[in-house]
Amino acid sequence: MDAPERTRDGARDGARDAELKKELDATLQARRELGEEYDSALVESFLDKVEQRLDSVVDRRVRRQLAEERTTVARGARRGRTGDGWGERFGFTAVSLVLAIPLSAIAVANAHLPGLLIAWGGIVGVNAVHAGGWPPQWRRERAERGRQDSDWEE
């Protein structure tokens, strides 16, 4: 017989399975003693016990997941991460500069210097808007949504 596996919280699944096996054996023994007329009641009783077991396992896993998410959120909030940080700005700038190369080539090929100036004006404008958060209400609304989603305000 295999050794029972350990779950993350250290409880033995094998012990719980043994309890469930005992319940099944007891249900089968009761069926032998009581006869077939009690089959549906015995099966329903056993299924209720299985359902309770499943509910407790799911409930424990959900509570664990929620606790992990709250811990992650708390650690992220403590570090001041809001999604508007340096990484997002750097990434946006890097992508816009990479895209600037083909845009510049297309602009020069089609409209020469005026096309290049217009393309770079657009690139600078998009980066300025992103960096400045225009219109400002967008960032304010995003910040308010972030505060409302916090699990610590419950």
Side-chain angles (χ1 to χ4, degrees), residues 9 19 23 41 45-46 50 54 62 71 77 96 128 137-138 142:
D9 63 355
E19 291 174 22
E23 289 290 336
S45 172
F46 178 72
V50 170
L54 288 174
V62 168
T71 302
S96 69
Q137 70 188 33
W138 289 356
R142 187 192 293 177

Side-chain angles (χ1 to χ4, degrees), residues 66-127:
L66 285 173
E68 289 173 2
E69 288 176 9
R70 287 180 177 165
T71 302
T72 302
V73 168
R75 288 180 180 156
R78 208 174 328 140
R79 291 183 188 136
R81 291 177 15 194
T82 62
D84 290 331
W86 182 85
E88 180 184 341
R89 290 191 311 265
F90 177 78
F92 187 84
T93 303
V95 168
S96 69
L97 287 175
V98 167
L99 293 176
I101 295 168
L103 287 174
S104 298
I106 293 169
V108 167
N110 290 319
H112 306 290
L113 183 60
L116 181 65
L117 293 176
I118 291 171
W120 273 95
I123 293 166
V124 169
V126 166
N127 278 286

